[in-house]
Amino acid sequence: MSGAEPVLEMRDVGVELAPLGGAARRITSDVDLALHAGRTLALVGESGCGKSVTALAAMNLLAPPLRLGTGHILLRTPGAAPRDLTRLSPAELRAARGGQLGMIFQDPMTALDPAFQVGEQIAESLRAHLGLSRRAAHDRAVELLQLVGIHEPERRVRAYPFQLSGGMRQRVMIAIAVACSPAVLIADEPTTALDVTVQAQILELLRELGARLGMATLLITHDLGVVAENADTVAVMYRGRIVERASAEALFTAPAHPYTRGLLASLPPLDGPRERLRPIPGQVPPAGVADADCPFVARCPEAMPRCLAARPALTAIAPEHEAACFLHATVAA
Amino acid sequence: MLTYLIRRTLLVSVTIWGVMTILFGLQHLSGDPTLLLLSSDATEDARRTLANQLGLDQPLAAQYAAFLWNTLTGDLGLSWKYHQPALRIVLEALPATALLTSAAIALGLAVAVPLGILAAVYRNSWIDTLASFIAVLGQSMPVYWSGLLLILLFSTTLRWLPSMGSDGAVALVLPAATLGLNIMARIERITRASMLEVLGQDFVRTLRSKGLSERSVLFRHGLRNASVPIVSMVGLQLSALLGGAVLIETVFAWPGVGRLAVNAVYARDFPLVHAAALVVTLTFCLVNMLVDVLCASLNPQIRLD
Ligand SMILES: Nc1ncnc2c1ncn2[C@@H]1O[C@H](COP(=O)(O)OP(=O)(O)OP(=O)(O)O)[C@@H](O)[C@H]1O
Ligand SMILES: [Mg+2]
């Protein structure tokens, strides 16, 4: 894609669900994603397809029963050798999280510690990573609250999460994520839990911060409208696999995978109100990846016999455009 | 805060009034105390004189009014047995009970909280199993039984520690350990349950995504969020024990409020019983208020009113 090497690169990442005493089951497989400085990659797909576990894997933050089955996560920050997050010691990993990697979660109502003032929750990151004094960290927390557009930051810095609205809490969450000027920002549906007007403000803020801090951003969303306005490149996920990857422009003008086309067709009209994706007809897929056939075959309007016999691999169908579908196999060959 | 204090004071007054009224009623149901206080061959005259001295010849309503007034002014009369101000006797026994209680609670907390956290973090591991084994043991052994076992082992067999009395720090070890074992079990269970709940919450993932140390995640944030049930449990144990760990004080001949109160009941020394009840009720209310205030300061969403 762009000439420079990606800041964060996920290679062949597969997440497993390993319940206690049960057999491990793969829920994502062969996920390759590359995040570039100053650019936004959107990861889209239906509920349950594995977006959130991919985001957690990118931070190497999976906790039981989830675990990383395969793959590597390479972090390239200026002035340091590339590091594989899966090989770091716990201390090195902690330094990377919050330091070079910031994360925003979907639900700002539950993502903040209810027993601590929001300023303290920002400041403790600053103290842990930048070694700031208590005083300096507090002052910086006030600046950060200002940066994310919270009025009267000197007062709000002492507020507890339950004293703030959802939108304000998400701003606090963003302040925490960007506190140490990370190279990578991972935002897992940062606006899904907010009302529409607040959604637009938060996305605007993320765009602005991404540009100002030159962060490589992974934006996970249900909303193709959000993708169109915010993303440079898009990866479409279905049942734990990337089924199409392209620049945002190419994806919207020439969607290649029948699943992507279905997603776009289910979008409400542009002049209508924006809402959640309307489901594509067919059974909601079970969790977990399949290997024998195309994961989408049961719902695909263009399914062919060979789709049942083998699984199409993600292949280039045009410059900067890949899809995992036999419809395009002839084009590529 | 002010409304809380006013409400609480009212509640305490009503509680004390209720407790004292019940005691007053019991006293008058339990027969004529002068028969108990005098030898069986005392004359009817002597009995009347004593009844007059004690105010027992007054109408019941007058006695009740005088009794309430005396309670209010803290004058509960002389102990019938010791012939000293009853309240003073109880207050003199209070430090021994407080010492035993705080030692037991401190011991319990020091072991139970780390153990409960470990059991929650490594749930279903051998640490968790060991912790629940200790908890079941501590909770299911009655204190007079575990107390006797400890006496047998450390006093009788090994001769390391005295089995009774309150002389010096060594005498405190066995009773405090016996009580501590029992309290530890309860605190360990509630710490584990509370920590498990907290560690399953979303914000813990946020803390890890910030790259905080595990120590900070568990102790600073985890324990703080888990602390309200733990503090409430400690408060419960504390108020129960301050009322006198009767069994323990008896087994170890510890000169505390519990033993005093039980002996007073056996002797039908009503002024002493009343004084003990008053002190125990007051401590109970005070501990509960302290717990409330502490919980409110630990969890900003709890409001005192
Ligand atoms: N902690 C967990 N325990 C058990 N199953 C899990 C866990 N986390 C995720 N899963 C399963 O893994 C699959 C992928 O979940 P994930 O949360 O990544 O979906 P998602 O794409 O983020 O969906 P949504 O859009 O609803 O957030 C789902 O089927 C889910 O049931
Ligand atoms: Mg999700």
Side-chain angles (χ1 to χ4, degrees):
Chain A
M1 307 232 161
S2 70
E5 283 199 296
V7 182
L8 188 81
E9 197 176 352
M10 301 180 79
R11 279 193 195 156
D12 187 33
V13 167
V15 175
E16 292 178 350
L17 182 64
L20 219 103
R25 197 156 54 92
R26 285 187 299 159
I27 50 180
T28 71
S29 190
D30 308 304
V31 173
D32 293 301
L33 293 173
L35 306 183
H36 294 268
R39 296 167 64 85
T40 297
L41 168 70
L43 182 61
V44 298
E46 284 169 313
S47 191
C49 69
K51 304 183 298 293
S52 290
V53 298
T54 302
L56 290 174
M59 301 279 291
N60 199 358
L61 198 61
L62 293 166
L66 298 171
R67 68 174 189 216
L68 196 70
T70 60
H72 299 281
I73 298 133
L74 297 178
L75 177 66
R76 291 188 191 83
T77 42
R83 284 171 294 165
D84 184 347
L85 292 188
T86 64
R87 299 242 167 102
L88 294 186
S89 71
E92 290 169 325
L93 195 57
R94 279 200 300 273
R97 289 182 194 147
Q100 282 101 46
L101 303 162
M103 181 153 187
I104 303 167
F105 295 92
Q106 173 170 343
D107 189 354
M109 294 315 201
T110 58
L112 296 173
D113 186 335
F116 282 76
Q117 297 174 350
V118 295
E120 181 53 31
Q121 301 192 45
I122 302 172
E124 68 182 343
S125 229
L126 296 165
R127 293 210 304 272
H129 293 291
L130 308 180
L132 295 190
S133 71
R134 206 165 265 280
R135 183 78 244 156
H138 174 89
D139 294 345
R140 179 78 186 122
V142 174
E143 287 171 23
L144 281 161
L145 286 180
Q146 181 126 43
L147 179 75
V148 297
I150 287 183
H151 299 296
E152 300 184 82
E154 296 85 0
R155 193 164 66 83
R156 292 280 160 61
V157 76
R158 298 194 193 287
Y160 288 95
F162 74 94
Q163 294 166 326
L164 301 177
S165 68
M168 285 231 263
R169 287 190 212 189
Q170 197 61 304
R171 287 176 191 270
V172 170
M173 189 69 236
I174 294 172
I176 290 174
V178 303
C180 304
S181 308
V184 178
L185 180 67
I186 294 172
D188 185 0
E189 306 203 36
T191 59
T192 310
L194 307 174
D195 15 330
V196 184
T197 45
V198 183
Q199 283 187 13
Q201 294 165 9
I202 295 288
L203 286 166
E204 167 75 38
L205 173 65
L206 283 177
R207 262 203 304 275
E208 189 193 304
L209 287 175
R212 180 172 338 179
L213 304 174
M215 292 182 295
T217 304
L218 175 64
L219 178 64
I220 294 179
T221 179
H222 273 108
D223 188 335
L224 286 175
V226 169
V227 175
E229 282 166 31
N230 295 277
D232 301 298
T233 48
V234 188
V236 180
M237 196 169 211
Y238 188 77
R239 283 183 72 180
R241 290 180 191 277
I242 305 292
V243 294
E244 181 161 6
R245 183 166 38 207
S247 69
E249 203 190 329
L251 191 96
F252 282 99
T253 52
H257 197 284
Y259 175 64
T260 314
R261 291 184 201 154
L263 280 183
L264 287 170
S266 67
L267 264 186
L270 271 181
D271 46 1
R274 181 188 295 166
E275 39 185 278
R276 282 189 153 213
L277 291 184
R278 282 195 217 115
I280 300 171
Q283 290 275 306
V284 176
V289 294
D291 274 321
D293 54 3
C294 170
F296 191 54
V297 66
R299 296 165 81 190
C300 183
E302 297 174 70
M304 305 174 285
R306 65 185 296 202
C307 302
L308 284 167
R311 182 176 59 81
L314 194 62
T315 43
I317 56 166
E320 302 196 4
H321 197 157
E322 294 162 283
C325 179
F326 288 129
L327 285 176
H328 304 281
T330 45
V331 182
Chain B
M1 185 73 191
L2 190 67
T3 21
Y4 170 81
L5 282 179
I6 293 172
R7 255 237 301 265
R8 253 320 159 71
T9 313
L10 277 176
L11 202 65
V12 169
S13 318
V14 172
T15 310
I16 289 177
W17 170 75
V19 167
M20 296 316 267
T21 301
I22 291 172
L23 286 175
F24 180 81
L26 286 178
Q27 172 183 348
H28 286 270
L29 284 176
S30 70
D32 187 348
T34 54
L35 296 178
L36 225 97
L37 288 169
L38 295 170
S39 57
S40 50
D41 55 351
T43 62
E44 180 64 14
D45 259 6
R47 203 190 63 75
R48 280 229 188 87
T49 322
L50 185 62
N52 180 265
Q53 273 173 12
L54 297 175
L56 296 173
D57 54 351
Q58 302 281 315
L60 204 59
Q63 284 188 45
Y64 180 59
F67 175 67
L68 285 187
W69 176 251
N70 289 340
T71 303
L72 204 63
T73 53
D75 172 19
L76 295 170
L78 298 183
S79 154
W80 291 348
K81 187 171 165 198
Y82 302 105
H83 309 289
Q84 280 178 13
L87 198 57
R88 206 178 71 201
I89 298 178
V90 175
L91 290 180
E92 276 167 5
L94 197 58
T97 295
L99 180 66
L100 177 57
T101 304
S102 22
I105 296 259
L107 199 69
L109 276 177
V111 180
V113 169
L115 197 62
I117 293 176
L118 278 177
V121 172
Y122 301 104
R123 63 180 165 285
N124 303 322
S125 72
W126 64 268
I127 297 181
D128 193 12
T129 315
L130 180 71
S132 25
F133 177 73
I134 297 175
V136 169
L137 206 68
Q139 223 168 351
S140 57
M141 270 201 300
V143 284
Y144 51 81
W145 169 243
S146 51
L148 286 177
L149 283 186
L150 288 180
I151 289 179
L152 263 179
L153 181 61
F154 291 103
S155 271
T156 316
T157 311
L158 296 173
R159 296 183 179 283
W160 286 354
L161 295 165
S163 66
M164 54 202 300
S166 61
D167 311 321
V170 279
L172 184 63
V173 176
L174 280 186
T178 310
L179 269 187
L181 189 70
N182 188 269
I183 293 167
M184 188 193 80
R186 293 163 206 275
I187 301 179
E188 193 274 329
R189 289 287 90 183
I190 201 131
T191 304
R192 177 184 185 275
S194 190
M195 276 302 277
L196 264 185
E197 199 204 312
V198 168
L199 292 180
Q201 285 176 25
D202 279 358
F203 75 82
V204 175
R205 203 172 47 197
T206 309
L207 298 175
R208 300 221 159 94
S209 82
K210 292 201 282 189
L212 297 187
S213 68
E214 207 55 14
R215 197 188 48 182
S216 172
V217 171
L218 291 182
F219 288 91
R220 197 168 130 80
H221 291 272
L223 195 55
R224 173 77 166 269
N225 277 277
S227 61
V228 167
I230 301 175
V231 168
S232 307
M233 174 58 86
V234 171
L236 221 59
Q237 299 294 315
L238 197 62
S239 32
L241 289 185
L242 281 176
V246 177
L247 289 172
I248 281 292
E249 291 184 357
T250 309
V251 171
F252 290 96
W254 187 262
V257 176
R259 209 169 57 122
L260 188 71
V262 170
N263 290 338
V265 169
Y266 287 144
R268 298 224 203 149
D269 186 346
F270 284 105
L272 200 53
V273 172
H274 296 158
L278 184 68
V279 168
V280 168
T281 313
L282 268 176
T283 354
F284 186 86
C285 294
L286 207 69
V287 167
N288 274 314
M289 270 169 85
L290 276 179
V291 166
D292 279 0
V293 171
L294 196 58
C295 287
S297 74
L298 287 168
N299 181 347
Q301 289 186 70
I302 296 178
R303 305 218 65 85
L304 288 179
D305 49 33

